[in-house]
Amino acid sequence: MIIAIDVGNTNITVGCIEKKGIVFVERLSSNRHRTEMEYAISFKSILDLHRVSPEQIEGGIIASVAPELTDVLRGALQKFSIERILVVGPGVKTGMNILIDNPGQLGSDLLVDAVAAAAEYPLPAIIVDMGTATTLCVVNEKKQYIGGVVLPGVRCALDSLVSTTSLLPQISLEAPKTVIGKNTIDAMKSGVIFGNAAAIDNMVLRIERELGRKCHVVATGGLAPAVIPYCDHDIAIDKDLLLKGLKIIYDKNR
């Protein structure tokens, strides 16, 4: 069994994976002020909750877009005597050829998503990851990462809208009954849910037109279930895509 950690700007996803599949997935807040010991205590609580002992864990792998947290989390895992801890980055084999201007700029989370999508889904593929930002990444039929799109994340855009206006309230992320809102809250919900769904649909169309062929589309990330069901495209939701990619990369580097 291995422990896989995805460090995002907002949340840290923690999961244990064995040969049969994913044992559990939990989330913590990305808190840059917490110490190694504080994260170690959180990890121990999660393992205890799921009745997993540290002795069952043979190794770990971390993908991080928050460099200031990477070493802290690696140190937290080392407190459990986990000797083999990989960090996705230079020197780690992924099997993915990255065809962008500066491969070093590609976020490890997007790379891991692409590795998983190439292994699990038909190609070419578009991977929609809906977290702090909404990203669309493209893997061609040769299993090459050829680029992508970055949009403001659903929650970030909503928080910005509310914080810079005087009369607009915070709202829940649920779809209204109609596109045409009859009140401020329903109008905002329509814009946030249906507007983001429309943006994803249109970007998929533009990417397919540029490639000259249809793509398989898969979505992941914490906000995907709120928006993707309202897209016109047939988009699969795979909430564990990134953890699957981390397991693939860990196995490639045994």
Side-chain angles (χ1 to χ4, degrees):
M1 183 184 300
I2 69 166
I3 186 167
I5 299 177
D6 169 40
V7 187
N9 290 301
T10 304
N11 293 314
I12 297 170
T13 303
V14 183
C16 271
I17 312 169
E18 57 184 8
K19 289 182 179 180
K20 295 179 181 179
I22 295 170
V23 178
F24 69 79
V25 180
E26 297 290 353
R27 284 179 172 80
L28 301 170
S29 295
S30 298
N31 188 334
R32 290 159 175 79
H33 302 293
R34 297 184 75 190
T35 64
E36 287 182 7
M37 181 56 73
E38 288 172 318
Y39 274 114
I41 291 170
S42 293
F43 293 156
K44 183 63 166 61
S45 297
I46 291 172
L47 293 175
D48 288 346
L49 180 66
H50 292 278
R51 299 180 181 179
V52 175
S53 68
E55 291 75 21
Q56 293 175 266
I57 300 174
E58 66 175 66
I61 183 167
I62 300 171
S64 175
V65 296
E68 63 274 28
L69 280 176
T70 305
D71 286 339
V72 173
L73 294 172
R74 178 161 47 190
L77 291 181
Q78 288 171 340
K79 292 185 183 297
F80 298 105
S81 299
I82 301 173
E83 295 182 0
R84 181 174 176 77
I85 303 170
L86 294 176
V87 176
V88 179
V92 173
K93 293 182 288 185
T94 65
M96 179 67 60
N97 192 9
I98 305 170
L99 302 183
I100 62 175
D101 293 342
N102 184 353
Q105 290 182 339
L106 181 62
S108 60
D109 54 340
L110 305 185
L111 174 58
V112 175
D113 279 343
V115 168
E120 299 248 329
Y121 296 95
L123 297 176
I126 299 171
I127 306 103
V128 183
D129 194 332
M130 303 191 69
T132 305
T134 295
T135 58
L136 290 85
C137 302
V138 185
V139 178
N140 67 15
E141 62 277 6
K142 298 178 181 179
K143 293 190 176 182
Q144 297 168 325
Y145 185 102
I146 61 173
V149 176
V150 180
L151 301 170
V154 175
R155 178 61 68 182
C156 284
L158 177 59
D159 289 345
S160 178
L161 178 66
V162 171
S163 66
T164 54
T165 55
S166 300
L167 299 177
L168 295 182
Q170 278 287 357
I171 60 171
S172 59
L173 292 179
E174 57 184 17
K177 294 180 179 179
T178 59
V179 174
I180 302 172
K182 302 297 185 182
N183 54 68
T184 299
I185 290 177
D186 280 350
M188 290 177 66
K189 287 181 177 181
S190 178
V192 170
I193 302 298
F194 299 143
N196 277 278
I200 291 169
D201 274 329
N202 193 261
M203 290 309 303
V204 168
L205 282 174
R206 288 168 181 262
I207 291 169
E208 289 179 333
R209 186 162 65 227
E210 197 165 293
L211 290 177
R213 60 179 300 180
K214 289 286 186 180
C215 296
H216 189 89
V217 189
V218 57
T220 191
L223 295 174
V227 175
I228 296 302
Y230 301 99
C231 291
D232 290 335
H233 278 82
D234 183 15
I235 302 177
I237 297 178
D238 189 337
K239 60 185 178 63
D240 297 324
L241 187 69
L242 199 139
L243 291 183
K244 292 175 182 177
L246 287 174
K247 180 65 164 61
I248 292 169
I249 293 172
Y250 183 89
D251 289 343
K252 284 182 181 292
N253 290 271
R254 280 183 181 275

